[in-house]
């Protein structure tokens, strides 16, 4: 197969940044690795940094008329989107243009936990709207889900020595949800790109969904690991399934009352995650397989992911990179 040109949307973001790193690590496999940048960001410091790295930039308004977008996608074989959570349906226009431009594989923005469509997670449903559109177009595609990031799956410890790595989007807490024993698939954010580089070259993954994970752990297992590795006791609070259902309903109602309120949006997404991950138990390899996902750990047996334990070692060592650092200041 001849080498392919890859165009990535979201390279200045967290998931997209990991994907760019993974692609660049595998650069010999591709004809060209390019990034799609919106006009309003084309002069940003982050985009300047990409330019300085020698990455080719295409400045594109994905809301532009399809004909215009089609010419912006000229020569692209693989189009990857890592657009922010709130902008999922902006990909619909892009998918239409990708079909017309002859893109051979579109990777829409999934990169989340495994869950079913239809009212379990509003974020998931906005992604599914894009997948349905892609399928209606007969556009070749691959959906890649990654479970929950290591970076937002650990509990705080009383000494505060890991607080430097708190992500304000979802401060890791000290709660056991719905008993604390539901297992969840976890992937280190930094591995996402390395997985993506493999998956997009693999003919077995065309028109399929793939789930990645380094570990499948319950909150209780995570807390035990953290306790043993830190030598600190972690005070915990139990949050029952009924409490999660009730707080999710409150968050959904608050968002409905103020749909433009970003804090209300974050709270509603967070409650959906708790409901899906802990009450329903969706984010597991067994459920992924039931939904038809391929398992990346079976496809790529030689792939050595960063394990959750290795991540915790780095975290406790005080050297772990912190996502969204410039956007939020963790206190
Ligand atoms: N599995 C997990 O635990 C987990 C955790 C967090 C997020 N996620 C998922 O990962 C996905 C990506 O989220 P993220 O938090 O990594 O994203 P992010 O850091 O917010 O970055 C979003 C990227 O999209 C770009 N972008 C936004 N609108 C654009 C447009 N109209 N045209 C071109 N580029 C545009 C931004 O570019 P600019 O430089 O122009 O702003 C930025 O590069 C989300 O869909 C979310 O569901 C999963």
């Amino acid at each position: 197969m001849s080498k392919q040109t890859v165009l990535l949307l979201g390279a200045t973001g967290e998931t997209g940044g990991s994907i760019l790193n993974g692609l660049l690590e595998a650069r010999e496999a591709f004809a060209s690795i390019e990034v799609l940048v919106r006009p309003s960001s084309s002069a940003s410091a982050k985009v300047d940094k990409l330019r300085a790295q020698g990455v080719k930039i295409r400045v594109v308004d994905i809301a532009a008329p399809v004909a215009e977008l089609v010419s912006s996608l000229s020569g692209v074989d693989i189009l990857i989107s890592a657009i922010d959570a709130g902008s999922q349906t902006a990909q619909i226009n892009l998918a239409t243009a990708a079909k017309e431009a002859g893109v051979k594989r579109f990777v829409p923005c999934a990169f989340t936990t495994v869950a079913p469509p239809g009212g379990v997670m509003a974020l998931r449903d906005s992604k599914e709207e894009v997948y349905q559109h892609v399928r209606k177009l007969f556009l070749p595609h691959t959906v890649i889900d990654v479970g929950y990031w290591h970076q937002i799956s650990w509990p705080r410890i009383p000494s505060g020595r890991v607080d430097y790595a708190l992500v304000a989007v979802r401060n890791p807490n000290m709660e056991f949800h719905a008993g604390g024993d539901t297992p969840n698939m976890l992937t280190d954010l930094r591995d996402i790109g390395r997985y993506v580089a493999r998956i997009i070259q693999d003919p077995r993954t065309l028109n399929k969904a793939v789930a990645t994970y380094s570990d499948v752990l319950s909150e209780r297992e995570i807390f035990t690991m953290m306790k043993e590795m830190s030598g600190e006791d972690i005070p915990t609070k139990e949050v029952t399934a009924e409490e999660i259902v009730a707080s999710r309903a409150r968050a959904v109602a608050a968002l409905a009352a103020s749909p433009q309120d970003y804090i209300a949006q974050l709270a509603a997404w967070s409650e959906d995650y708790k409901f899906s991950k802990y009450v329903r138990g969706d984010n597991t390899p067994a459920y992924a397989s039931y939904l038809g996902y391929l398992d990346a750990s079976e496809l790529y047996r030689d792939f050595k992911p960063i394990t959750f334990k290795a991540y915790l070692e780095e975290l406790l060592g005080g050297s772990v990179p912190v996502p969204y650092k410039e956007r939020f200041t963790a206190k």
Side-chain angles (χ1 to χ4, degrees):
M1 195 171 67
S2 59
K3 289 188 181 181
Q4 311 224 294
T5 290
V6 186
L7 182 65
L8 168 66
L9 181 160
T12 57
E14 293 300 334
T15 305
S18 170
I19 296 172
L20 181 63
N21 290 340
L23 293 173
L24 292 175
E25 223 178 84
R27 53 161 58 86
E28 298 306 321
F30 302 104
S32 180
I33 297 162
E34 304 177 14
V35 305
L36 184 163
V37 165
R38 52 180 155 182
S40 57
S41 298
S42 66
S44 72
K46 282 186 171 183
V47 173
D48 280 344
K49 203 166 151 198
L50 296 175
R51 280 193 192 94
Q53 279 179 270
V55 177
K56 189 172 165 194
I57 314 282
R58 296 191 191 204
V59 179
V60 180
D61 176 2
I62 62 170
V66 168
E68 208 177 294
L69 258 185
V70 170
S71 60
S72 306
L73 298 178
S74 142
V76 174
D77 299 302
I78 302 171
L79 174 63
I80 305 171
S81 169
I83 202 162
D84 57 272
S87 304
Q88 299 301 305
T89 51
Q91 298 172 94
I92 287 177
N93 201 37
L94 185 65
T96 305
K99 176 67 184 176
E100 280 193 36
V103 166
K104 299 191 186 89
R105 187 189 303 239
F106 178 46
V107 180
C109 185
F111 308 114
T112 186
T113 50
V114 165
V120 172
M121 293 186 67
L123 175 56
R124 176 82 196 191
D125 288 346
S126 65
K127 291 176 188 284
E128 293 278 349
E129 216 181 301
V130 179
Y131 310 159
Q132 291 308 327
H133 182 69
V134 164
R135 291 179 185 129
K136 279 191 220 156
L137 293 167
F138 293 81
L139 174 60
H141 63 281
T142 305
V143 167
I144 303 171
D145 277 321
V146 300
Y148 217 53
W149 298 348
H150 291 358
Q151 281 74 4
I152 44 179
S153 295
W154 45 269
R156 297 175 78 172
I157 48 179
S159 66
R161 72 181 156 123
V162 290
D163 283 1
Y164 76 94
L166 285 175
V167 175
V169 169
R170 181 214 179 270
N171 280 358
N173 52 43
M174 300 177 172
E175 292 167 346
F176 278 154
H177 297 95
D181 291 314
T182 320
N184 270 280
M185 295 188 286
L186 305 174
T187 297
D188 193 296
L189 169 60
R190 295 165 293 176
D191 274 340
I192 293 177
R194 297 170 59 229
Y195 278 119
V196 169
R198 291 268 189 122
I199 292 167
I200 61 173
Q201 297 182 64
D202 187 343
R204 295 172 298 176
T205 62
L206 198 61
N207 302 326
K208 298 278 194 295
V210 184
T212 78
Y213 56 94
S214 66
D215 299 77
V216 184
L217 294 170
S218 68
E219 288 178 300
R220 198 173 303 277
E221 288 168 323
I222 289 173
F223 279 48
T224 301
M225 207 185 273
M226 181 63 127
K227 202 171 153 182
E228 286 171 2
M229 290 172 71
S230 68
E232 293 185 35
D233 268 332
I234 309 174
T236 54
K237 191 180 149 223
E238 302 276 342
V239 181
T240 66
E242 293 71 25
E243 284 168 334
I244 295 169
V245 169
S247 59
R248 177 171 176 256
R250 282 194 299 276
V252 168
L255 180 61
S258 312
Q260 305 307 324
D261 180 344
Y262 190 59
I263 301 299
Q265 176 64 85
L266 288 178
W269 282 333
S270 167
E271 292 298 329
D272 277 355
Y273 269 122
K274 287 179 199 163
F275 178 62
S276 174
K277 285 168 62 185
Y278 305 123
V279 180
R280 288 181 44 85
D282 292 328
N283 184 38
T284 66
Y287 192 57
S289 168
Y290 169 80
L291 291 177
Y293 281 79
L294 301 175
D295 184 326
S297 60
E298 286 169 13
L299 293 174
Y300 315 113
R301 290 187 184 276
D302 61 319
F303 188 100
K304 299 258 177 297
I306 302 167
T307 62
F308 191 71
K309 186 161 190 259
Y311 170 81
L312 281 191
E313 269 160 20
E314 267 187 89
L315 174 70
L316 288 161
S319 64
V320 87
V322 184
Y324 307 111
K325 201 163 185 180
E326 290 156 25
R327 216 171 305 174
F328 304 102
T329 309
K331 292 269 184 298

